[in-house]
Amino acid sequence: MIETDIHLSSDAYTADISSVRGGTCFRLLHTPTGADILRTPRDEEHLMENVYLFGNPLLFPPNRIRGARFTFEGKEYVLPLNEPDTGCHVHGALYSKPFTVEALTENYVRLSFTAAKGEYIGFPHAFTFVREYTLDSDGLHEKDTVKNESNERMPFLLAYHTTFNLAPLKDSRPEDARVKLRVGREEMRTEKFIPTGEFREPSAREEALSNGSYAPHGKHLSAFYECADTMVLTDTKHGLSVMYEGDAQFIYRMLFASVDGGFFVCEPQTTAIDCFHLSGSPTEYGLVTLESGESKTYTTRIALVS
């Protein structure tokens, strides 16, 4: 496992967090069962295979922005074009930034990151992002707060690229995993993952997700849905389920799995993909605007459930 500098523990869980990598929680262990809930990198080389597919990295701004630029209230925002194959900016860089540990107890930590205007990927606003974790018998609680430190209105959109083990126990099998998540329409995308502006009504795959019979192992899945539901990932062999809930501000979910990856990604997201380039106002698709000095808080929870 890669080095983590923060260890939290409660009567039922332990968590390992890296302050130097965006405050990411890279391991969440349910101690009574030994269930390893999140996908954890074996070492640095393993992490570098895909930095998004371990733990719960922060995405700001999440997903792809075509042309790596957008317009907000008449002002053009230009971001690094970090995905040349698609001509997009993808996922921001907050997941890789060092956070400052402001408070730490046995089961709680508060970390913060502050950027001056233009300091963070050219984003023309000063802001502070505070990430708080509390570990107790009800799981891992996360509370994140963003504050606009600039003197102008600031656009904000957020997601977590949270990656779960399909086989959380030593004798679990990925093929026994089932996902339950009530999803709505799918935002359609091109082969380069750019939204077409169309939304598809639910069909057979979405029915399987909604009734809890969807088996992700052996399938390639990359789909973005209107969804504000709690995900439940069940090891049917052991009758063990992991739930992942987000507050009502997360109105979309990005789902991803590879054919033989042994993991399942569920990303709570506050906005539709590339909301700035869809028809209509970005606020129709979840974009938040923060006034100068204004803060916004988001919460999630991961836990084992019976």
Side-chain angles (χ1 to χ4, degrees):
M1 179 180 168
I2 64 166
E3 184 177 351
T4 51
D5 58 328
I6 298 166
H7 179 78
L8 304 183
S9 63
S10 69
D11 56 351
Y13 296 89
T14 63
D16 292 301
I17 298 162
S18 172
S19 68
V20 299
R21 296 183 185 274
T24 301
C25 180
F26 280 111
R27 190 181 192 195
L28 179 62
L29 179 70
H30 183 250
T31 49
T33 63
D36 247 331
I37 294 172
L38 298 176
R39 186 174 187 239
T40 302
R42 294 186 299 270
D43 49 35
E44 188 77 14
E45 183 179 1
H46 192 206
L47 175 66
M48 289 299 109
E49 290 179 6
N50 190 321
V51 294
Y52 308 119
L53 293 179
F54 301 95
N56 62 340
L58 290 168
L59 308 182
F60 167 52
N63 227 293
R64 291 168 176 84
I65 296 176
R66 72 189 76 186
R69 59 183 63 212
F70 63 89
T71 300
F72 173 73
E73 297 188 344
K75 179 178 180 179
E76 186 176 47
Y77 289 60
V78 180
L79 305 177
L81 201 161
N82 59 0
E83 195 176 54
D85 288 348
T86 65
C88 292
H89 175 82
V90 62
H91 289 338
L94 200 55
Y95 66 89
S96 66
K97 297 299 182 182
F99 276 53
T100 299
V101 178
E102 295 186 337
L104 178 62
T105 67
E106 183 179 18
N107 71 327
Y108 168 81
V109 66
R110 183 175 69 246
L111 310 102
S112 70
F113 172 81
T114 298
K117 178 179 179 179
E119 186 177 40
Y120 174 75
I121 61 171
F123 190 64
H125 299 277
F127 70 93
T128 297
F129 195 97
V130 175
R131 197 166 196 184
E132 297 177 81
Y133 292 104
T134 301
L135 202 59
D136 61 23
S137 59
D138 292 323
L140 181 69
H141 306 258
E142 181 168 358
K143 182 174 79 170
D144 293 343
T145 302
V146 60
K147 182 180 180 182
N148 179 7
E149 306 280 8
S150 72
N151 57 9
E152 300 174 295
R153 284 158 57 92
M154 170 181 139
F156 185 71
L157 48 169
L158 176 68
Y160 307 91
H161 208 291
T162 309
T163 305
F164 296 89
N165 282 325
L166 289 181
L169 300 175
K170 289 182 179 179
D171 62 341
S172 293
R173 303 185 309 171
E175 54 265 39
D176 293 324
R178 297 293 183 272
V179 177
K180 184 175 184 180
L181 183 69
R182 291 186 302 251
V183 297
R185 299 186 304 167
E186 180 183 0
E187 184 179 15
M188 303 307 294
R189 295 172 295 157
T190 69
E191 60 183 13
K192 289 188 177 291
F193 310 108
I194 309 301
T196 65
E198 298 176 323
F199 286 79
R200 180 181 67 83
E201 295 297 327
S203 59
R205 182 175 66 191
E206 290 72 46
E207 181 180 355
L209 281 164
S210 294
N211 66 29
S213 64
Y214 185 79
H217 181 68
K219 300 183 181 73
H220 175 76
L221 173 66
S222 179
F224 188 82
Y225 292 107
E226 296 176 332
C227 176
D229 192 31
T230 295
M231 183 210 74
V232 179
L233 177 62
T234 299
D235 177 343
T236 58
K237 177 182 177 181
H238 297 93
L240 178 151
S241 295
V242 173
M243 57 81 70
Y244 186 29
E245 65 181 9
D247 67 42
Q249 298 171 99
F250 295 102
I251 56 177
Y252 298 94
R253 296 292 187 277
M254 179 75 206
L255 305 182
F256 178 76
S258 65
V259 172
D260 56 358
F263 60 81
F264 183 77
V265 178
C266 179
E267 302 175 40
Q269 189 161 317
T270 60
T271 59
I273 297 171
D274 201 26
C275 65
F276 300 101
H277 295 109
L278 299 178
S279 61
S281 168
T283 58
E284 297 176 30
Y285 301 100
L287 181 71
V288 164
T289 300
L290 296 174
E291 301 290 342
S292 176
E294 185 180 4
S295 298
K296 195 81 171 176
T297 296
Y298 301 84
T299 61
T300 66
R301 180 169 71 99
I302 303 173
L304 214 66
V305 292
S306 57

